[in-house]
Amino acid sequence: MQDDDKRTVVVTGGSRGIGRAICLSFAGPDTRIYFNYFSPVDPDAEKAAADETEKLVADAGGSAKGLSVNVASQEEIIDFFKKVIDETGRIDVLVNNAGITKDGFLVRMKESDWDAVMDINLKGAFRCIKIAARAMMKQRFGRIINLASIVGVTGNAGQANYVASKAGIIGLTKTAAKELASRNVTVNAIAPGFIETDMTESLPDDVKKAMLSQIPLGRAGKPEDIASVIAFLASEKASYITGQVIHVSGGMYI
Ligand code: NAP
């Protein structure tokens, strides 16, 4: 059943953290949201988190469907987008948010940790863009927003794999923007600084304190600080912005 008045929004990694706030920022009667999540460690907890995102979106007057889909699996991603297109006939917005860290100093970093981070953070975004862009080009409309990171620009000791994946996201964003602009598809990246989520919660207290001291606005960011900029980039008001990296970091990078 298709309803052409509604926008279809796809968010990767929407079960918690920034991804959940992104889903909420799109919640409303005119939007259908599809998000995915994937945790091989505790599937029951992740399913509960995804159910909570669905509930929060419904409470805000919207609809969201969360599916366990690994962005590192080409087959699962193909099936996921096929379902979205079969059910809605279009993809208006894609937010590539799913990401992980596997930190360690370069000389001790395991090749498997390098590969896992690149496969989810960078190649996962490539897989999703490749499929969504085809639908967007046909529609002559689309908005793609990729989650980079401040460290993809500055570098960060202990995060060679993560930093390389986020620097790669920036290059991917700029190239996709150039390739898709003629079809009215914009592609931008957000570079968050230090945002309060599970990803940063696990950092040691001294590291958190040191990061806070580098933020001119004097506070860590909240997932909503990122989500509101993404909602803007997906809106008609941002139709003349493409290929940009928007830093949302409280001035951590100036
Ligand atoms: P988070 O709280 O750890 O949440 C990550 C989300 O990604 C979860 O929904 C997770 O699903 C999903 N995910 C992980 N691996 C996946 C996979 N293979 N397939 C599908 N989904 C997967 O992270 P966050 O802090 O919200 O970060 C969101 C994005 O912002 C990431 O790209 C991150 O690199 C970027 N970022 C964050 C910060 C920060 O300070 N937090 C700063 C800069 C950039 P499960 O719940 O099932 O695991």
Side-chain angles (χ1 to χ4, degrees):
M1 173 75 127
Q2 296 173 16
D3 179 349
D4 287 335
D5 290 342
K6 292 192 175 185
R7 274 196 312 178
T8 300
V9 175
V10 177
V11 179
T12 68
S15 55
R16 54 199 169 91
I18 295 170
R20 175 182 283 168
I22 295 167
C23 289
L24 272 169
S25 75
F26 285 108
D30 300 334
T31 311
R32 292 166 298 227
I33 302 165
Y34 288 77
F35 69 90
N36 69 350
Y37 59 96
F38 178 76
S39 178
V41 181
D42 190 347
D44 289 344
E46 299 313 331
K47 166 87 173 65
D51 289 349
E52 179 66 9
T53 298
E54 288 183 357
K55 183 181 175 304
L56 289 167
V57 170
D59 289 349
S63 84
K65 204 177 271 187
L67 297 159
S68 175
V69 172
N70 183 1
V71 295
S73 162
Q74 178 71 2
E75 294 78 42
E76 290 184 28
I77 283 298
I78 288 172
D79 289 349
F80 175 58
F81 279 98
K82 183 174 181 313
K83 183 177 173 60
V84 175
I85 292 179
D86 283 351
E87 289 185 5
T88 75
R90 52 188 301 121
I91 301 171
D92 296 282
V93 180
L94 165 67
V95 184
N96 283 304
N97 166 77
I100 62 163
T101 53
K102 283 188 182 290
D103 296 349
F105 284 111
L106 186 52
V107 291
R108 288 201 291 267
M109 186 170 284
K110 286 191 246 154
E111 207 172 309
S112 57
D113 286 347
W114 173 275
D115 289 344
V117 169
M118 295 301 274
D119 204 18
I120 291 172
N121 295 11
L122 181 55
K123 200 167 174 188
F126 160 72
R127 290 186 183 97
C128 295
I129 290 173
K130 194 172 164 182
I131 299 175
R134 287 206 194 106
M136 291 174 173
M137 286 164 82
K138 273 197 215 135
Q139 293 162 193
R140 297 285 194 272
F141 176 84
R143 298 272 190 269
I144 298 172
I145 298 135
N146 301 319
L147 270 289
S149 169
I150 188 174
V151 300
V153 176
T154 63
N156 198 27
Q159 289 197 305
N161 48 1
Y162 182 79
V163 169
S165 75
K166 295 303 185 179
I169 282 283
I170 292 172
L172 175 62
T173 298
K174 292 182 179 183
T175 299
K178 289 189 175 182
E179 291 190 12
L180 302 176
S182 65
R183 309 296 172 96
N184 194 30
V185 177
T186 67
V187 190
N188 291 289
I190 300 284
F194 178 50
I195 312 298
E196 284 169 347
T197 67
D198 293 344
M199 187 179 270
T200 48
E201 177 56 34
S202 55
L203 291 169
D205 281 347
D206 57 329
V207 174
K208 283 190 210 163
K209 214 173 150 193
M211 290 182 93
L212 277 172
S213 72
Q214 293 167 35
I215 303 174
L217 282 177
R219 67 167 176 89
K222 301 202 173 307
E224 295 73 24
D225 292 319
I226 305 301
S228 58
V229 182
I230 289 175
F232 167 69
L233 285 173
S235 75
E236 201 44 49
K237 288 180 181 164
S239 60
Y240 203 53
I241 302 174
T242 196
Q244 302 306 303
V245 181
I246 317 283
H247 285 259
V248 185
S249 67
M252 205 172 175
Y253 173 79
I254 290 179

